[in-house]
Amino acid sequence: MSPLIPAHLIGMCLMSSSGCPADMRHISVHWFRKGLRLHDNPALLAALQDCTEIYPVFVLDPGVPNQAHASINCWRFLTGALKDLDCSLKKLNSRLFVLRGKPEEVFPRLFQRWKVTRLTFELDTEPYSQDQDEKVVKLAKQHNVEVIQKVSHTLFDTERIIAKNNGKPPLTFNRLQAVVQSLGAPEKPVPPPTLEDMKGVRTPCSEKDEESYKVPTLEELGLDPLSAGPELYPGGEQEALRRLDEHMKRTGWVCHFQKPETSPNALSPSTTVLSPYVRYGCLSVRTFWWRLTDVYQGRKHSQPPVSLHGQLLWREFFYTTSVGIPNFNRMEGNPICLQVDWDSNPEHLAAWREARTGFPFIDAIMTQLRQEGWIHHLARHAVACFLTRGDLWISWEEGQKVFEELLLDGDWALNAGNWQWLSASAFFHQYYRVYSPIAFGKKTDKSGEYIKKYLPILKKFPADYIYEPWKAPRSVQERAGCIVGKDYPRPIVDHEVVSKENMQRMKMAYSKRSKTFNESNGKAKGEKRKAASVVDMLMKKKVKVN
């Protein structure tokens, strides 16, 4: 546990800019979590109201799910974002205090040592965070600390969307879109605090505190910086806003953007790659939304679900369903998720995770993920389908864990929702539509330049064989300097065979659910009943709201 601020710095007699005694005003702690930014941070602005002392805090919580297993690329992004935030706060004559420990253990000490009267933070919808918040709010009440939570990580209050939808989460994008349209436009982002806002507000600290509460280095976190991949996406609010400005200047590209038409295997990203910045809150989703609105104004542009506005609404969709559906990141106990008897095959899972499946397109994608921490959404489709219903028949929960570890934008709600979608377990039910690990990549990269970049062992294979090197004659393999089975693995499955077998297994799983649904609705034997689609069944099935 990091030491707390020395007691001799507490209780300084200050006068506010309005001349009110300091003890009549608040000593505020603002708890940074995902909203690692100053712009559009209403909870931070609330902390500064009638405030004499402000302590911006970030807690490195060892209990955060999967954080201990996060990749070095993710840790580098986070520490970069924290350094950037600390720098921005120092320009306001404040600073960031980084502490370690569980929030329910850290905050009672802070409340006492700093004489805190107010705690503010951005609302977080993840189950773990909700549990922590409940504990912290209870402790704050015991210490007579006012608590203010603000919605700013999503476009709308997810609970409000659910309430507007008769107390149930919308299970289709169209329904989500209809509900949010009835709510009106998202709130406009609030401006960042200025030096004017900081008049009469201090952040007491000493030279000793500079070391005690500094942002830890990767080495101090027990990580080797040399093991990280190239830093293509540096963390931080300033980088996020720079990238946003850069993209918004491309008005034609923004207006004509359609997500399905972008390339999964372009050598440089064919999308914005702003998702990591939105995930950590370095970029406000509301700021993103309204900047797009400005660009669209008076121009013909694409529409949801494929437009950039549509991408933000997809995010809202999965956030809302994650709030309203119990056990959202698991198969068991999840009322909308297809129950599938997935195989347990550690060898196949490891081969997929470590990019040695023997299918170059799949292995190139997984290599990019491990090296850079980001892959195109269609590339995610390809490797997720391959792991689950397409080829390996391994649970989407296993893939979810790997993405949580490696993706810079591994957002809990989006990750769980998309894995259910791509495994045809929920939301998407056309299980017979399978991504080919061979043909799919060829559509946008016939010569295999993407494969050559991420799997240089295959770079000398001619285009005719680079997606299927095992089919190359021995002489071609020798000229390429890569013998399949020795220098590069053979395919771990026969795609043509297993994909057909898996379709039948999926069909059986759907049939079993249909039978269970009918029985649970009390259908008598022999009673005629109009066949319902799985989507119909899901829409009729009531989902308990947390």
Side-chain angles (χ1 to χ4, degrees):
M1 177 76 65
S2 295
L4 299 171
I5 281 191
H8 72 274
L9 292 175
I10 306 303
M12 293 182 176
C13 184
L14 301 174
M15 294 293 289
S16 72
S17 57
S18 61
C20 297
D23 60 4
M24 298 293 290
R25 305 181 71 203
H26 280 286
I27 297 177
S28 296
V29 167
H30 177 71
W31 182 14
F32 282 100
R33 296 190 295 180
K34 287 180 180 174
L36 302 181
R37 63 180 184 273
L38 299 188
H39 76 278
D40 192 29
N41 196 330
L44 177 59
L45 293 184
L48 293 172
Q49 291 294 313
D50 301 317
C51 175
T52 185
E53 293 179 12
I54 179 75
Y55 296 93
V57 165
F58 182 87
V59 181
L60 283 170
D61 179 2
V64 173
N66 299 301
Q67 185 164 285
H69 303 292
S71 71
I72 189 169
N73 290 335
C74 293
W75 277 109
R76 181 175 61 187
F77 189 98
L78 174 59
T79 55
L82 294 176
K83 290 175 185 176
D84 178 81
L85 181 59
D86 184 43
C87 182
S88 296
L89 287 167
K90 285 177 177 174
K91 291 177 182 178
L92 296 176
N93 299 319
S94 185
R95 62 154 298 162
L96 183 66
F97 295 86
V98 179
L99 301 103
R100 303 189 192 195
K102 298 184 76 63
E104 65 267 29
E105 297 171 354
V106 169
F107 279 112
R109 294 184 175 90
L110 298 184
F111 294 155
Q112 292 178 345
R113 295 284 186 89
W114 293 346
K115 311 299 182 188
V116 176
T117 61
R118 177 194 283 154
L119 172 67
T120 68
F121 53 91
E122 179 183 70
L123 184 73
D124 194 331
T125 58
E126 291 186 23
Y128 177 82
S129 298
Q130 290 275 299
D131 181 62
Q132 292 297 306
D133 295 353
E134 185 177 340
K135 294 175 183 176
V136 170
V137 169
K138 184 177 180 180
L139 289 166
K141 185 177 181 180
Q142 293 172 2
H143 287 80
N144 296 315
V145 174
E146 175 191 16
V147 176
I148 299 176
Q149 300 182 57
K150 296 287 187 177
V151 174
S152 55
H153 192 63
T154 49
L155 291 171
F156 302 91
D157 183 341
T158 55
E159 294 284 2
R160 189 178 174 210
I161 294 175
I162 291 171
K164 191 73 173 178
N165 195 48
N166 300 316
K168 297 183 291 186
L171 293 179
T172 67
F173 180 86
N174 287 342
R175 183 58 192 158
L176 179 281
Q177 197 172 7
V179 173
V180 299
Q181 283 177 350
S182 71
L183 296 176
E187 289 187 17
K188 292 270 183 91
V190 299
T194 64
L195 284 171
E196 183 68 24
D197 297 314
M198 296 293 290
K199 280 188 176 180
V201 182
R202 292 190 60 188
T203 301
C205 60
S206 66
E207 289 184 9
K208 182 180 178 182
D209 298 328
E210 288 295 326
E211 181 65 26
S212 299
Y213 297 103
K214 70 176 184 177
V215 178
T217 64
L218 293 176
E219 291 92 340
E220 289 168 341
L221 292 170
L223 301 169
D224 178 10
L226 296 179
S227 67
E231 192 172 14
L232 303 180
Y233 315 109
E237 178 182 18
Q238 300 311 310
E239 179 67 12
L241 294 174
R242 184 193 71 77
R243 287 172 177 260
L244 179 66
D245 287 341
E246 189 177 81
H247 286 300
M248 293 306 101
K249 291 175 183 176
R250 304 164 63 195
T251 55
W253 182 83
V254 169
C255 288
H256 294 99
F257 180 92
Q258 295 189 52
K259 194 72 174 280
E261 294 183 4
T262 56
S263 173
N265 44 11
L267 296 185
S268 58
S270 58
T271 55
T272 66
V273 196
L274 287 171
S275 51
Y277 300 93
V278 176
R279 178 250 171 127
Y280 285 96
C282 302
L283 174 62
S284 155
V285 66
R286 300 191 304 199
T287 296
F288 195 174
W289 176 276
W290 284 103
R291 287 292 299 275
L292 287 169
T293 300
D294 291 341
V295 173
Y296 290 156
Q297 194 67 36
R299 298 183 174 95
K300 184 178 179 180
H301 59 87
S302 56
Q303 297 289 336
V306 298
S307 65
L308 284 169
H309 261 175
Q311 305 317 298
L312 299 183
L313 287 174
W314 275 116
R315 178 179 184 271
E316 204 76 6
F317 172 73
F318 285 124
Y319 260 87
T320 306
T321 52
S322 76
V323 168
I325 297 171
N327 303 305
F328 188 67
N329 67 328
R330 298 196 293 273
M331 180 179 76
E332 293 186 8
N334 181 337
I336 71 162
C337 186
L338 183 70
Q339 302 299 298
V340 178
D341 293 327
W342 300 107
D343 289 342
S344 177
N345 192 321
E347 292 79 12
H348 280 184
L349 177 60
W352 176 82
R353 184 184 184 280
E354 297 165 10
R356 35 184 192 82
T357 67
F359 289 91
F361 182 53
I362 300 300
D363 292 342
I365 294 170
M366 295 304 290
T367 299
Q368 182 187 17
L369 174 59
R370 295 179 67 80
Q371 291 180 356
E372 300 174 7
W374 181 89
I375 49 177
H376 187 276
H377 87 285
L378 289 176
R380 302 178 198 205
H381 287 202
V383 296
C385 182
F386 184 88
L387 179 70
T388 57
R389 61 188 172 87
D391 294 82
L392 301 186
W393 200 255
I394 291 173
S395 173
W396 59 268
E397 291 182 59
E398 296 297 335
Q400 177 184 234
K401 293 174 188 175
V402 173
F403 273 23
E404 281 177 348
E405 173 191 350
L406 299 176
L407 277 174
L408 296 177
D409 60 1
D411 193 299
W412 184 85
L414 275 65
N415 195 29
N418 276 300
W419 271 100
Q420 290 174 75
W421 184 297
L422 294 166
S423 63
S425 296
F427 307 115
F428 175 80
H429 309 286
Q430 298 175 24
Y431 60 84
Y432 44 84
R433 295 180 60 184
V434 173
Y435 290 90
S436 167
I438 300 162
F440 183 56
K442 288 182 179 180
K443 293 180 180 179
T444 47
D445 181 23
K446 291 183 179 179
S447 61
E449 296 305 313
Y450 176 83
I451 291 172
K452 294 174 185 177
K453 176 179 180 179
Y454 291 103
L455 300 177
I457 189 69
L458 300 176
K459 65 182 179 181
K460 293 184 179 180
F461 271 87
D464 289 346
Y465 297 110
I466 196 161
Y467 283 89
E468 302 172 276
W470 62 90
K471 290 186 176 180
R474 177 78 180 198
S475 58
V476 172
Q477 296 182 35
E478 289 175 347
R479 284 197 298 271
C482 175
I483 305 300
V484 176
K486 176 187 174 185
D487 304 306
Y488 180 73
R490 296 184 181 279
I492 57 175
V493 293
D494 184 332
H495 172 71
E496 293 300 322
V497 174
V498 298
S499 61
K500 291 181 175 62
E501 292 176 348
N502 291 346
M503 282 186 203
Q504 291 304 310
R505 297 175 84 173
M506 286 297 291
K507 184 177 180 180
M508 290 175 63
Y510 272 92
S511 177
K512 183 178 179 181
R513 178 162 71 178
S514 179
K515 181 180 179 182
T516 301
F517 178 83
N518 290 341
E519 291 174 350
S520 67
N521 280 271
K523 295 297 178 181
K525 288 185 177 181
E527 180 181 352
K528 291 184 179 180
R529 179 180 182 274
K530 184 178 179 181
S533 70
V534 173
V535 174
D536 291 335
M537 289 189 285
L538 282 175
M539 293 303 291
K540 291 177 182 176
K541 188 171 185 177
K542 290 187 177 181
V543 177
K544 183 180 178 182
V545 179
N546 285 339

